[in-house]
């Protein structure tokens, strides 16, 4: 089997850590991909993403926590665990500590051992051997597995150069997972294998239909762009979800969708993409995690009520009160996730499934079909029941009817409505937030018509009653064009005492010694964090601020968009950082708010 030195990957990752300019990042990745044999490009892409396989495969985590890593480093470098810990404190993290230790070992080497080092270089670590060992570390389970994991990790570190050791330790710690965005990797794939930037949207479409960037890269590198163009969804491999824009004026909404559309309940539950191949069922969440094990009851409903062999459908799972039949909010469903005894949880938090889309059926890709066609076919393959049915909807072309349905939806426990285009081009835009779907949510009694989802990028120490804890968080929006996170506000209110108590533990794995390269900020928090955690936030209104970087320069040259009186509402564990509200959306919300302020008075009689 073809292979390549791990050195090439480790050196690239080392350089990537120091640069923030997207073009330079892409150029480095292009060099790496060019040096990669096509047969192992999937593994290289995964390692760059900081994973061994896509998360949705639901395979075990590496299971080597900080303590075990310290042990492994101490074994590999022949120093005490305390020394490793001290060095990690001094240098800021374990990755740098191991790099330093390996450098010291190298320079200490006497003539004889130097000879041994030179010998080692001729049998240097390869990508495949390192990958396979990491897989072994991840999949070792049961009695004695802890020791074996330490030994395997120590072995890897022992055999590696200082830079390789740093890469391996960072990988095991999970620190690489947010280092380089998928968007940047796709840019590099387009240049390396797609013939240039024109192929970028084609690659992205393939990735949206099959959320496995390693596999997409491999098809591209081994079979070429034509194969990528004809890629179809595959049962078992999640499709990146289509997302909605937001508006709160029924008239404007109808214009945007082309005059008429389906208006559906926007249920307040968990999005579920359900895959079925005969009696094998997979359920994927909004962020493409495999959540099948949490919903054995839904699995049974799918087997009983979906009359098709191979199919991918989408819907919302909602919990309800079995006595009254009343739907309950998302937070209630989250209790169910925390329960270990799933069979009790099923009784305590029973669910209904409201289906709203069909993406694939028996070899046919339905994402390219218009919504009415998808819906009609979905109706044909579902045997409806009380708790497994199609989302409530009407077809309308009048703002009055839309508003009436919206009020009805809310009175029945929905969050609002989704308005969906039904013209001939109203396809399923996988992985895209677009105007073919528009969400119209109930007002949160605030000038800001809707909440936003922002990513934590730093935290501030608390004062007074909050002394010794964190008192506020620095929050950022996602800029999808630049693939970075831009700060929007500092949130200190809205937290309950138990939220504040939990913060140190929640943030701990993500604390870092300096700003993450994908974060654009001017405000300096007391601690920086990796951009990972997403929270829902609301405020009084959107404003311009000279210290925040969100969409800076778009509305005004030296100011970004910010939120006045921001309040924390809840965590959004179902969202990845890239699913946060984007800087572009905030620009739209800001412009809309301006329109409201300036237009409304003049339209008064
Ligand atoms: P939000 O934070 O408002 O839940 P989101 O970012 O998760 O939104 P959007 O596409 O903006 O995703 O809003 C649609 C979400 O609403 C879907 O992800 C899905 O979970 C949920 N939903 C509920 N009912 C429907 C429906 N009938 N059609 C589509 N999505 C629905």
């Amino acid at each position: 089997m073809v292979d390549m030195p791990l050195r090439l990957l480790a050196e690239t990752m080392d350089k990537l850590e120091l640069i923030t300019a997207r073009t330079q990042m892409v150029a480095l990745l292009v060099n790496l991909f060019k040096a990669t044999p096509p047969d192992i490009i999937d593994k290289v892409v995964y390692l760059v993403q900081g994973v061994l396989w896509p998360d949705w495969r639901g395979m075990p985590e590496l299971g080597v926590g900080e303590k075990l890593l310290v042990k492994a480093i101490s074994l590999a470098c022949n120093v005490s665990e305390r020394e490793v810990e001290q060095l990690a404190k001094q240098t800021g993290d374990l990755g740098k500590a191991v790099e330093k230790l390996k450098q010291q070992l190298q320079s200490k080497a006497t003539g004889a051992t130097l000879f041994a080092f030179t010998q080692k270089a001729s049998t240097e670590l390869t990508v495949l051997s390192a990958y396979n060992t990491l897989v072994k570390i991840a999949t070792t389970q049961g009695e004695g597995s802890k020791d074996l994991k330490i030994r395997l990790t120590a072995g890897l570190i022992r055999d590696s150069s200082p830079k390789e050791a740093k890469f391996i330790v960072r990988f095991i710690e999970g620190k690489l997972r947010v280092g380089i965005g998928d968007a940047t990797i796709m840019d590099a794939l387009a240049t390396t294998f797609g013939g240039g930037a024109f192929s970028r949207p084609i690659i992205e479409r393939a990735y949206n239909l099959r959320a496995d960037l390693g596999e997409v890269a491999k098809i591209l590198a081994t079979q070429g762009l034509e194969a990528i163009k004809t890629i179809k969804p595959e049962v078992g491999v999640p499709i990146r979800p289509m997302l909605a824009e937001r508006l709160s004026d029924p008239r404007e909404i109808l214009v945007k969708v082309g005059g008429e559309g389906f208006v559906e309940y926007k249920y307040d539950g968990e999005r579920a993409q359900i895959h079925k191949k005969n009696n094998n069922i997979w359920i994927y969440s909004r962020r493409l995690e495999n959540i099948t094990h949490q919903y054995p009851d839904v699995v049974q409903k799918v087997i009983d009520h979906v009359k098709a062999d191979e199919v991918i459908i989408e819907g919302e799972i909602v919990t309800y009160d079995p006595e009254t039949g009343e739907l309950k909010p998302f937070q209630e469903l989250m209790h169910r996730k925390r329960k270990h005894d799933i069979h009790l949880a099923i009784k305590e938090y029973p669910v209904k499934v409201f289906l709203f889309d069909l993406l694939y059926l028996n070899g046919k890709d339905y994402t390219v079909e218009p919504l009415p066609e998808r819906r009609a076919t979905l109706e044909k393959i579902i045997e409806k029941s009380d708790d497994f049915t199609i989302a409530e909807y009407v077809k309308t072309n009048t703002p009055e009817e839309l508003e009436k349905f919206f009020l009805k939806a809310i009175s029945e426990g929905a969050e609002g409505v989704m308005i969906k285009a039904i013209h001939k081009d109203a396809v399923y835009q996988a992985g895209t937030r677009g105007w073919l779907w528009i969400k119209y949510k109930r007002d949160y009694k605030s000038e800001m018509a809707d909440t936003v989802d922002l990513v934590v990028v730093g935290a501030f120490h608390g004062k007074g009653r909050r002394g010794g804890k964190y008192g506020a968080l620095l929050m950022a929006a996602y800029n999808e064009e630049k693939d970075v996170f831009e700060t929007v506000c500092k949130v200190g209110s809205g937290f309950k005492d138990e939220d504040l108590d939990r913060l140190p533990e929640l943030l701990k794995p993500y604390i870092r010694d300096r700003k993450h390269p994908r974060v654009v900020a001017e405000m300096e928090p007391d601690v920086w964090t990796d951009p990972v955690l997403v929270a829902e936030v609301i405020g009084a209104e959107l404003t311009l601020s000279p210290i925040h970087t969100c969409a800076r320069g778009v509305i005004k040259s030296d100011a970004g968009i910010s939120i006045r009186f921001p309040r924390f509402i809840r965590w959004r564990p179902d969202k990845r950082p890239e699913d946060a509200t984007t800087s572009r959306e905030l620009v739209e919300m800001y412009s809309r708010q301006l329109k409201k302020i300036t237009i409304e008075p003049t339209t008064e009689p």
Side-chain angles (χ1 to χ4, degrees):
M1 178 131 200
V2 276
D3 206 345
M4 72 190 280
L6 182 68
R7 178 176 42 84
L8 295 179
L9 179 58
E11 282 172 2
T12 306
M13 298 305 276
D14 186 58
K15 286 187 195 141
L16 280 167
E17 213 179 282
L18 298 173
I19 53 174
T20 51
R22 175 99 176 262
T23 46
Q24 284 176 14
M25 283 181 144
V26 172
L28 278 172
L29 286 177
V30 168
N31 282 342
L32 175 69
F33 292 164
K34 277 188 178 153
T36 305
D39 274 341
I40 61 163
I41 185 76
D42 49 344
K43 310 275 189 311
V44 169
V45 167
Y46 297 143
L47 291 173
V48 171
Q49 286 181 308
V51 297
L52 287 173
W53 37 64
D55 285 335
W56 52 262
R57 289 213 185 269
M59 293 211 243
E61 300 262 324
L62 278 147
V64 185
E66 200 177 311
K67 270 214 173 83
L68 298 196
L69 251 181
V70 168
K71 218 174 213 153
I73 296 172
S74 114
L75 275 177
C77 301
N78 213 6
V79 291
S80 73
E81 288 175 36
R82 257 199 70 193
E83 271 175 83
V84 178
E85 277 163 355
Q86 271 171 352
L87 198 56
K89 250 200 195 128
Q90 270 170 30
T91 52
D93 75 298
L94 274 177
K96 280 195 203 131
V98 77
E99 185 181 25
K100 206 157 198 173
L101 285 169
K102 294 287 297 187
Q103 279 164 351
Q104 282 168 4
L105 273 181
Q106 264 186 355
S107 60
K108 259 197 234 151
T110 59
T113 45
L114 195 59
F115 175 72
F117 271 116
T118 346
Q119 291 293 297
K120 190 98 236 164
S122 62
T123 54
E124 62 182 352
L125 269 180
T126 66
V127 164
L128 274 190
S129 63
Y131 182 88
N132 290 338
T133 308
L134 287 167
V135 170
K136 220 183 261 166
I137 294 172
T139 49
T140 303
Q141 276 175 331
E143 213 184 312
S145 65
K146 215 156 115 185
D147 279 346
L148 186 56
K149 280 178 199 277
I150 296 177
R151 268 187 287 130
L152 287 167
T153 308
L156 257 185
I157 296 172
R158 197 173 294 129
D159 289 346
S160 51
S161 69
K163 280 201 171 67
E164 288 165 353
K166 179 164 91 175
F167 168 74
I168 285 162
V169 166
R170 290 256 162 94
F171 183 92
I172 293 177
E173 281 187 300
K175 288 240 151 107
L176 302 179
R177 293 178 76 101
V178 284
I180 295 148
D182 291 347
T184 307
I185 299 178
M186 282 190 275
D187 280 355
L189 288 173
T191 308
T192 319
F193 305 110
F198 79 94
S199 66
R200 172 64 164 77
I202 303 168
I203 295 169
E204 183 158 353
R205 191 189 115 79
Y207 183 37
N208 286 336
L209 286 182
R210 273 196 213 178
D212 183 338
L213 201 49
E215 192 189 304
V216 168
K218 192 160 177 175
I219 296 174
L220 180 65
T222 56
Q223 299 171 43
L225 197 60
E226 284 311 304
I228 285 292
K229 278 186 193 157
T230 54
I231 221 167
K232 271 201 262 176
E234 191 180 307
V235 177
V237 181
I239 298 173
R240 296 180 12 123
M242 172 167 179
L243 298 170
E245 291 283 355
R246 61 179 100 206
L247 279 179
S248 50
D249 174 1
R251 213 168 289 276
E252 198 181 351
I253 292 174
L254 281 174
V255 171
K256 278 275 187 200
V257 294
E260 64 169 358
F262 286 169
V263 185
E264 295 172 15
Y265 281 18
K266 183 179 192 304
Y267 296 95
D268 190 12
E270 171 157 41
R271 186 169 186 157
Q273 192 179 97
I274 302 169
H275 292 229
K276 175 179 187 290
K277 193 174 212 162
N278 304 315
N279 279 354
N280 292 321
I281 315 290
W282 298 260
I283 306 176
Y284 296 110
S285 72
R286 155 96 169 62
R287 51 183 298 176
L288 308 187
E289 282 154 338
N290 188 333
I291 50 171
T292 317
H293 59 282
Q294 286 167 15
Y295 296 110
D297 45 348
V298 175
V299 168
Q300 194 54 49
K301 290 183 217 294
V302 174
I303 293 173
D304 294 343
H305 297 284
V306 180
K307 302 295 156 204
D309 296 335
E310 282 206 22
V311 68
I312 305 175
I313 52 182
E314 246 187 353
E316 191 89 351
I317 299 179
V318 193
T319 184
Y320 66 100
D321 181 341
E323 311 250 305
T324 61
E326 229 171 74
L327 298 181
K328 292 197 195 163
F330 169 77
Q331 284 93 325
E332 293 285 316
L333 187 66
M334 287 301 111
H335 288 304
R336 170 161 174 169
K337 284 182 169 274
R338 282 189 213 116
K339 297 263 164 173
H340 294 301
D341 195 339
I342 193 72
H343 292 284
L344 288 180
I346 288 177
K347 287 216 179 81
E348 217 175 316
Y349 301 99
V351 296
K352 297 190 183 199
V353 181
F354 298 98
L355 299 166
F356 52 75
D357 227 311
L358 167 75
L359 312 185
Y360 179 86
L361 176 64
N362 298 334
K364 181 169 162 150
D365 176 4
Y366 270 83
T367 64
V368 293
E369 300 296 334
L371 178 60
E373 162 96 35
R374 306 202 300 274
R375 185 62 55 87
T377 314
L378 178 66
E379 295 265 4
K380 277 190 212 142
I381 60 164
I382 303 299
E383 254 174 29
K384 289 186 217 166
S385 73
D386 213 28
D387 55 11
F388 193 86
T389 184
I390 309 274
E392 192 95 15
Y393 75 104
V394 288
K395 182 172 145 183
T396 189
N397 56 8
T398 72
E400 293 74 25
E401 194 179 1
L402 196 165
E403 187 70 20
K404 213 167 114 196
F405 198 70
F406 169 74
L407 295 173
K408 178 168 174 272
I410 285 177
S411 71
E412 285 176 22
E415 250 191 314
V417 286
M418 299 284 294
I419 298 90
K420 300 182 178 176
I422 51 175
H423 50 70
K424 67 175 187 0
D425 298 320
V427 297
Y428 185 94
Q429 291 177 314
T432 310
R433 196 180 283 286
W435 291 104
L436 292 178
W437 283 13
I438 300 173
K439 58 182 166 188
Y440 173 21
K441 292 210 265 188
R442 74 175 169 253
D443 205 338
Y444 290 88
K445 309 243 173 313
S446 151
E447 279 299 312
M448 237 174 103
D450 199 354
T451 59
V452 288
D453 301 313
L454 300 176
V455 184
V456 180
V457 296
F460 299 85
H461 296 313
K463 296 194 187 84
R465 223 164 61 83
R466 295 185 181 179
K469 300 180 200 166
Y470 292 116
L473 300 174
L474 182 59
M475 309 297 296
Y478 177 52
N479 180 325
E480 50 192 338
E481 285 84 37
K482 299 188 182 146
D483 197 22
V484 294
F485 298 91
E486 300 173 332
T487 72
V488 175
C489 59
K490 176 177 164 182
V491 185
S493 54
F495 296 101
K496 293 197 212 76
D497 283 346
E498 62 257 36
D499 292 327
L500 290 171
D501 292 343
R502 270 189 65 217
L503 266 181
E505 191 195 323
L506 200 64
L507 297 189
K508 191 165 175 249
Y510 309 116
I511 304 275
R512 43 186 299 122
D513 56 349
R514 58 191 151 120
K515 188 166 67 65
H516 192 280
R518 287 174 77 199
V519 171
V520 183
E522 277 189 15
M523 192 179 248
E524 277 270 336
D526 294 320
V527 294
W528 291 106
T529 65
D530 292 335
V532 176
L533 298 167
V534 180
E536 194 168 339
V537 171
I538 186 114
E541 62 177 351
L542 296 174
T543 56
L544 292 178
S545 151
I547 46 168
H548 287 291
T549 53
C550 170
R552 171 166 291 193
V554 176
I555 308 236
K556 207 161 167 246
S557 63
D558 49 0
I561 295 181
S562 181
I563 297 175
R564 218 156 69 89
F565 303 132
R567 250 184 314 118
F568 169 89
I569 298 199
R570 57 174 166 165
W571 292 109
R572 290 294 306 249
D574 56 325
K575 293 204 170 181
R576 296 176 313 142
E578 285 87 357
D579 297 327
T581 303
T582 60
S583 305
R584 181 182 62 81
E585 283 182 279
L586 279 161
V587 169
E588 270 162 24
M589 287 170 84
Y590 181 81
S591 313
R592 219 167 289 290
Q593 182 186 291
L594 270 192
K595 244 198 302 184
K596 251 191 184 166
I597 297 165
T598 52
I599 294 173
E600 266 169 16
T602 57
T603 53
E604 297 270 312

